[in-house]
Amino acid sequence: NAGVTQTPKFRILKIGQSMTLQCTQDMNHNYMYWYRQDPGMGLKLIYYSVGAGITDKGEVPNGYNVSRSTTEDFPLRLELAAPSQTSVYFCASCPMGGTQYFGPGTRLLVL
Amino acid sequence: KQEVTQIPAALSVPEGENLVLNCSFTDSAIYNLQWFRQDPGKGLTSLLLIQSSQREQTSGRLNASLDKSSGRSTLYIAASQPGDSATYLCAVRFPNDMRFGAGTRLTVKP
């Protein structure tokens, strides 16, 4: 099993550009999460999903969108990139009530 | 508002020492609590998961406890080693949210 994979690993965006961060898991987990981690801080929940077709907002959803058309994939969309979105983005998945498994992260720089 | 706090923010100990990391949360209605390790520039590795009905979990030199009524969890590391140096994060799963503490940066000196 590859676990949780994220692409790209690193990206530089200009202000106002859009991009999609990809996340895929092959463990058949129902629950998937997107977090951001700013330097020296813990993780903040952006969006989560409890199954295909179901998504919900976390603590910091503004400026982001998600979709969950399949169990495996949970892409995160940034529509109009802003410098405040410079961060490291982590995707995670878990079975209901179980251990979260994290991807390696995507480092995003918005200039 | 649901919040998770970790104390201390940083800790430096000599090799071989036993140590305790603390995590507190403001709402006792939790599903579970998970401890993670994060090495610099890396992702998170799960260490221990404690369900709300459990009091503690153990894995090797690690022992995590949970006291829901007081809103506290501790991670005990026995006989610390330089390889234990990392940032330790606790994450609390609430009914409709997931909150992380800011972490404790641990340095174990040889």
Side-chain angles (χ1 to χ4, degrees), chain A residues 31 33 35 37 41-43 45 48 59 90 94 97-100 102, chain B residues 32 34 36 38 42-43 46 49 51 93 96-102:
Chain A
Y31 288 67
Y33 305 83
Y35 299 93
Q37 185 177 33
M41 305 292 288
L43 281 68
L45 182 63
Y48 66 99
E59 183 183 1
F90 289 102
C94 70
T99 298
Q100 283 191 72
F102 278 76
Chain B
N32 59 46
Q34 195 165 358
F36 293 90
Q38 186 176 31
K42 303 291 186 180
S46 178
L49 170 69
Q51 301 294 347
R93 189 175 199 171
N96 293 301
D97 201 359
M98 175 73 72
R99 294 286 174 121
F100 277 75

Side-chain angles (χ1 to χ4, degrees), chain B residues 5-11 13 18-24 35-36 47 62-65 72-77 84 86-90 103-106:
Chain B
T5 304
Q6 290 188 247
I7 295 173
L11 180 64
V13 300
N18 302 326
L19 59 102
V20 175
L21 307 180
N22 297 291
C23 174
S24 61
W35 283 93
F36 293 90
L47 298 173
L62 305 179
N63 176 277
S65 68
R72 294 185 180 186
S73 175
T74 61
L75 179 67
Y76 174 82
I77 302 177
D84 295 330
T87 295
Y88 291 80
L89 297 161
C90 75
T104 294
R105 188 171 67 250
L106 174 66

Side-chain angles (χ1 to χ4, degrees), chain B residues 2-81:
Chain B
Q2 296 157 337
E3 292 185 355
V4 178
T5 304
Q6 290 188 247
I7 295 173
L11 180 64
S12 181
V13 300
E15 182 178 4
E17 200 162 284
N18 302 326
L19 59 102
V20 175
L21 307 180
N22 297 291
C23 174
S24 61
F25 44 96
T26 54
D27 187 347
S28 63
I30 71 170
Y31 281 165
N32 59 46
L33 184 147
Q34 195 165 358
W35 283 93
F36 293 90
R37 168 188 174 132
Q38 186 176 31
D39 293 291
K42 303 291 186 180
L44 279 70
T45 301
S46 178
L47 298 173
L48 290 165
L49 170 69
I50 309 178
Q51 301 294 347
S52 62
S53 58
Q54 298 175 320
R55 297 296 297 271
E56 67 176 344
Q57 284 285 337
T58 298
S59 176
R61 294 182 294 108
L62 305 179
N63 176 277
S65 68
L66 175 64
D67 184 343
K68 272 199 318 178
S69 61
S70 66
R72 294 185 180 186
S73 175
T74 61
L75 179 67
Y76 174 82
I77 302 177
S80 59
Q81 304 170 356

